[in-house]
PDB file of all heavy atoms in Angstrom:
ATOM      1  N   CYS A 615     -32.938  47.759 -15.085  1.00 90.00           N
ATOM      2  CA  CYS A 615     -32.907  49.121 -14.541  1.00 90.00           C
ATOM      3  C   CYS A 615     -31.494  49.383 -14.007  1.00 90.00           C
ATOM      4  O   CYS A 615     -30.965  48.573 -13.255  1.00 90.00           O
ATOM      5  CB  CYS A 615     -33.932  49.263 -13.417  1.00 90.00           C
ATOM      6  SG  CYS A 615     -33.704  50.764 -12.429  1.00 90.00           S
ATOM      7  N   SER A 618     -31.432  49.464  -9.985  1.00 87.00           N
ATOM      8  CA  SER A 618     -31.837  48.345  -9.135  1.00 87.00           C
ATOM      9  C   SER A 618     -31.369  47.005  -9.692  1.00 87.00           C
ATOM     10  O   SER A 618     -31.358  46.016  -8.978  1.00 87.00           O
ATOM     11  CB  SER A 618     -33.361  48.326  -8.992  1.00 87.00           C
ATOM     12  OG  SER A 618     -33.945  47.972 -10.238  1.00 87.00           O
ATOM     13  N   CYS A 626     -38.631  53.814 -14.351  1.00 86.00           N
ATOM     14  CA  CYS A 626     -37.177  53.686 -14.209  1.00 86.00           C
ATOM     15  C   CYS A 626     -36.462  54.707 -15.090  1.00 86.00           C
ATOM     16  O   CYS A 626     -36.960  55.072 -16.145  1.00 86.00           O
ATOM     17  CB  CYS A 626     -36.728  52.273 -14.595  1.00 86.00           C
ATOM     18  SG  CYS A 626     -37.261  51.040 -13.417  1.00 86.00           S
ATOM     19  N   PRO A 627     -35.300  55.175 -14.656  1.00 84.00           N
ATOM     20  CA  PRO A 627     -34.577  56.178 -15.439  1.00 84.00           C
ATOM     21  C   PRO A 627     -33.797  55.531 -16.583  1.00 84.00           C
ATOM     22  O   PRO A 627     -32.593  55.722 -16.703  1.00 84.00           O
ATOM     23  CB  PRO A 627     -33.633  56.788 -14.407  1.00 84.00           C
ATOM     24  CG  PRO A 627     -33.381  55.678 -13.445  1.00 84.00           C
ATOM     25  CD  PRO A 627     -34.630  54.844 -13.395  1.00 84.00           C
ATOM     26  N   CYS A 644     -38.907  46.383 -11.532  1.00 87.00           N
ATOM     27  CA  CYS A 644     -38.178  47.224 -10.581  1.00 87.00           C
ATOM     28  C   CYS A 644     -39.089  47.732  -9.457  1.00 87.00           C
ATOM     29  O   CYS A 644     -40.085  48.407  -9.706  1.00 87.00           O
ATOM     30  CB  CYS A 644     -37.567  48.416 -11.319  1.00 87.00           C
ATOM     31  SG  CYS A 644     -36.728  49.543 -10.223  1.00 87.00           S
ATOM     32  N   LEU A 646     -37.919  49.508  -7.008  1.00 82.00           N
ATOM     33  CA  LEU A 646     -37.323  50.752  -6.534  1.00 82.00           C
ATOM     34  C   LEU A 646     -38.062  51.960  -7.075  1.00 82.00           C
ATOM     35  O   LEU A 646     -38.283  52.942  -6.376  1.00 82.00           O
ATOM     36  CB  LEU A 646     -35.863  50.773  -6.989  1.00 82.00           C
ATOM     37  CG  LEU A 646     -35.029  51.991  -6.703  1.00 82.00           C
ATOM     38  CD1 LEU A 646     -34.965  52.225  -5.206  1.00 82.00           C
ATOM     39  CD2 LEU A 646     -33.631  51.780  -7.260  1.00 82.00           C
ATOM     40  N   HIS A 647     -38.446  51.876  -8.362  1.00 81.00           N
ATOM     41  CA  HIS A 647     -39.071  53.034  -8.992  1.00 81.00           C
ATOM     42  C   HIS A 647     -40.571  52.869  -9.136  1.00 81.00           C
ATOM     43  O   HIS A 647     -41.215  53.639  -9.817  1.00 81.00           O
ATOM     44  CB  HIS A 647     -38.436  53.280 -10.366  1.00 81.00           C
ATOM     45  CG  HIS A 647     -36.983  53.565 -10.267  1.00 81.00           C
ATOM     46  ND1 HIS A 647     -36.017  52.731 -10.793  1.00 81.00           N
ATOM     47  CD2 HIS A 647     -36.319  54.576  -9.653  1.00 81.00           C
ATOM     48  CE1 HIS A 647     -34.827  53.225 -10.527  1.00 81.00           C
ATOM     49  NE2 HIS A 647     -34.976  54.346  -9.833  1.00 81.00           N
TER      50      HIS A 647
HETATM   51 ZN1  LIG B 821     -35.785  50.997 -11.648  1.00 61.14          ZN
END
Side-chain angles (χ1 to χ4, degrees):
C615 166
S618 69
C626 291
C644 177
L646 176 60
H647 299 115

